[in-house]
Amino acid sequence: RPSVGYVQGMGYIASTFLLYMEPAQAFVCMANLLDKHHFPDFLMVDMERIGRYAIAFNDELSTHLPPLHKHLSTIGVDTRLYIVEWWMTLFGTILPVESASIAWDLLLLEGVAALVRVTLGLLHVLQDQLLGATL
């Protein structure tokens, strides 16, 4: 996909494939993944489409973790500040490999809804710390 090129974060995806398969297989999987789920929008840095994901996630955050949603909104934390990195790398920057691998499995089985659930779970675990945070 020459339209994508290299985007920071791809290394996490490629390295995860390389943990589980030979380089040629990893390349094929990487190439195939570029057209699936949220990856085309995130890897091409389509800010309009990423914004739609952020709005949809924000709705879920306000439903499931209302105090955290209110706090993050009040201090001016834009949802895109964390979902872009977390979702582009499939949580490779914040979770141990074993946990990130589970997020991979969930994404491949259930689609983007799994990313929403994993993100809500992480924010739930971090909620007490985040509620005490300021910018």
Side-chain angles (χ1 to χ4, degrees), residues 2 7-9 13 27 40 42 83 95:
V7 177
Q8 202 167 18
I13 298 166
F27 176 79
F42 278 61
I83 69 165
L95 290 176

Side-chain angles (χ1 to χ4, degrees), residues 9 17 20 22-24 26-28 34-35 45 49 53 71 111 118 121 135:
F17 282 132
Y20 299 102
E22 295 298 316
F27 176 79
V28 170
L34 295 179
D35 287 326
V45 194
R49 300 279 307 201
Y53 283 100
H71 177 68
V118 171
L135 287 181

